[in-house]
Amino acid sequence: MNETELLNVCQQFATKSKALKVAPLGNGLINTTYKVTTEGSAPDYVLQLVNTDIFTDPEMLMNNIVVVTRHIRRKLQEQGVGDINRRCLQFATTLDGKHYLMQQGKCWRMMEFIPDTVSRSGVSTESAYIVGHTFGNFQAMLADIPEQLGETIKDFHNMEFRLQQLREAVAENRAGRLDEVQWLVDELESRADDMCRGERLHREGKLPKRICHCDTKVDNILFDRNGDVLCVIDLDTVMPNFVFSDFGDFLRSAANTGAEDDENLDNVNFNMDIFRAFTRGYIESARGMLTDVEIDNLPYAACLFPYMQTVRFLADYINGDTYYRTKYAEHNLVRSKAQFKLLQSAESHLQEMKQYIAELLG
Ligand code: GN1
Ligand code: MG
């Protein structure tokens, strides 16, 4: 879409000032995001085209997000936190009062742009502790949302379901790519039972679902200049899940010494200093709400997310790249290999992780 058409979309929203300019923003793999510059000193905005092939129920999606941001805003007010507009997303409404616009089959939304933030591809050991603390708080804040939230993507972090998708991809071999990746499929299958532990514990009634963000990669966090977390963005996947989701997915990006799609696997390792700092902060602030089963399985969560992401990227590669935005033909394969390397590295530190958590608990 050209800029005039995008500006036209902006005009359907009740923004605080007139939209002047629209330009691409960020590097999400699912939705398409733009920065909207407005006239004068009023806030700028973020405009997003929601990928409705993936988020098929915009009504539920936006309802979840509105409920969650309202809840967080109220908690921050109660806690006397300042600068709330920089710590919680604020969505614009359309001229007829809705939180999204459907136009020619496309779903749009707008939120206020938070200025002077830093987005990072990683965190330092110092900030990992603070980030852990903030995440623990974030989950604790969400723990008492009275409303029932919907599952915006059904079975999103359900490991059994993700494996079933991989198995279907393998059985169909639609893009004819199976031969070159069979070795990786075998590696993943050999870990499948262990990695479905969360679902088993849940069925046995030993593991609760809570409201989680479910996409806590570092990219989805806005930091201030000191490295403190200001705000968690990308709330589309906020839904009931195991606490492992947010803990594990954060470490998947933050503790990776390389990139998510690093071509050089020597760059990719699981950084235990980041693990320790983050886990210390997280346990300090979330301990009151976490059960023993949840705490005991945090090291499992640190492995689960590189594993799940390998399964997802690989299934998409085998299917011929129908889900994730890719930049080149082998991109999903490169991503799969990098996530698998991260998994192997995390596995090699499992004992150390368990020991560290035991020490923390004293
Ligand atoms: C996607 O939209 P984005 O880039 O923040 C994906 C996550 C993956 C992530 C991998 C809805 O997140 O689950 O972990 O890519 N989101 C969805 O980078 O599938
Ligand atoms: Mg994102």
Side-chain angles (χ1 to χ4, degrees):
M1 269 176 108
N2 65 35
E3 196 177 359
T4 315
E5 290 167 316
L6 291 166
L7 282 169
N8 193 300
V9 171
C10 297
Q11 273 150 28
Q12 315 297 313
F13 286 86
T15 51
K16 291 178 179 163
S17 161
K18 189 168 178 249
L20 296 179
K21 219 178 90 195
V22 185
L25 177 72
N27 49 7
L29 303 186
I30 307 292
N31 297 326
T32 312
T33 308
Y34 304 90
K35 159 98 187 275
V36 180
T37 310
T38 62
E39 203 170 58
S41 59
D44 289 333
Y45 284 81
V46 173
L47 170 70
Q48 272 191 317
L49 173 61
V50 177
N51 184 333
T52 44
D53 290 337
I54 292 173
F55 298 106
T56 51
D57 188 343
E59 186 67 38
M60 178 206 278
L61 179 79
M62 289 313 292
N63 183 58
N64 273 5
I65 293 180
V66 168
V67 163
V68 165
T69 49
R70 204 167 48 205
H71 189 80
I72 293 177
R73 194 165 278 272
R74 199 168 48 224
K75 290 263 161 153
L76 293 174
Q77 273 159 357
E78 282 166 12
Q79 293 168 11
V81 174
D83 242 5
I84 291 187
N85 284 340
R86 295 172 60 69
R87 294 178 185 276
C88 184
L89 295 178
Q90 171 118 322
F91 286 83
T93 49
T94 59
L95 299 177
D96 52 3
K98 297 186 77 166
H99 284 98
Y100 64 96
L101 172 76
M102 284 304 297
Q103 196 176 63
Q104 290 158 352
K106 291 195 161 100
C107 174
W108 300 91
R109 68 175 167 221
M110 280 184 95
M111 66 203 100
E112 287 186 22
F113 178 79
I114 304 178
D116 302 320
T117 64
V118 185
S119 49
R120 297 167 180 246
S121 53
V123 294
S124 64
T125 320
E126 300 77 60
S127 65
Y129 165 76
I130 303 167
V131 175
H133 219 275
T134 316
F135 263 106
N137 259 329
F138 184 78
Q139 286 193 333
M141 281 198 285
L142 295 181
D144 62 350
I145 290 191
E147 291 92 343
Q148 183 74 35
L149 294 194
E151 251 184 278
T152 53
I153 298 180
K154 201 175 159 352
D155 292 321
F156 188 54
H157 278 174
N158 179 330
M159 197 56 247
E160 290 173 348
F161 171 71
R162 293 300 181 184
L163 275 164
Q164 182 192 323
Q165 283 186 318
L166 175 65
R167 287 168 187 153
E168 280 163 16
V170 165
E172 288 175 26
N173 190 17
R174 262 186 273 160
R177 289 169 159 175
L178 184 58
D179 279 353
E180 65 174 317
V181 299
Q182 187 62 55
W183 67 273
L184 187 48
V185 174
D186 296 342
E187 288 280 2
L188 294 171
E189 283 293 354
S190 71
R191 293 160 171 86
D193 272 353
D194 185 42
M195 287 294 157
C196 292
R197 190 192 304 172
E199 282 71 35
R200 272 198 306 278
L201 287 168
H202 183 63
R203 271 195 297 274
E204 291 163 7
K206 295 177 186 155
L207 181 66
K209 287 201 178 180
R210 305 169 180 279
I211 303 301
C212 297
H213 178 280
C214 297
D215 193 8
T216 53
K217 62 179 178 184
V218 183
D219 269 7
N220 287 336
I221 298 170
L222 300 179
F223 297 87
D224 67 13
R225 303 204 183 279
N226 303 324
D228 293 351
V229 179
L230 272 176
C231 188
V232 185
I233 57 172
D234 241 350
L235 303 175
D236 300 314
T237 51
V238 170
M239 64 177 109
N241 228 315
F242 310 136
V243 286
F244 305 155
S245 289
D246 292 355
F247 179 86
D249 216 20
F250 177 78
L251 286 171
R252 182 181 71 80
S253 51
N256 186 353
T257 54
E260 182 179 77
D261 58 353
D262 222 305
E263 286 182 60
N264 181 356
L265 297 181
D266 292 337
N267 292 339
V268 177
N269 278 300
F270 190 82
N271 181 335
M272 279 301 288
D273 289 333
I274 298 284
F275 171 87
R276 278 186 283 265
F278 175 74
T279 303
R280 188 161 59 84
Y282 177 75
I283 289 189
E284 265 179 34
S285 62
R287 190 168 181 179
M289 64 165 252
L290 295 174
T291 66
D292 290 348
V293 171
E294 286 172 323
I295 294 181
D296 286 350
N297 283 288
L298 292 178
Y300 153 73
C303 294
L304 175 63
F305 281 83
Y307 178 80
M308 191 184 303
Q309 201 59 62
T310 312
V311 168
R312 293 177 63 194
F313 281 147
L314 186 63
D316 198 34
Y317 182 69
I318 297 173
N319 283 334
D321 311 317
T322 59
Y323 188 90
Y324 291 108
R325 190 173 290 144
T326 51
K327 293 193 177 135
Y328 52 94
E330 306 281 289
H331 203 167
N332 272 322
L333 179 58
V334 169
R335 287 169 173 154
S336 309
K337 288 181 184 166
Q339 292 297 299
F340 181 62
K341 168 69 198 291
L342 182 65
L343 168 68
Q344 289 175 303
S345 175
E347 286 172 340
S348 74
H349 293 295
L350 254 178
Q351 263 327 101
E352 235 178 296
M353 293 187 212
K354 288 182 187 160
Q355 207 175 327
Y356 179 69
I357 291 177
E359 281 165 26
L360 276 182
L361 298 175

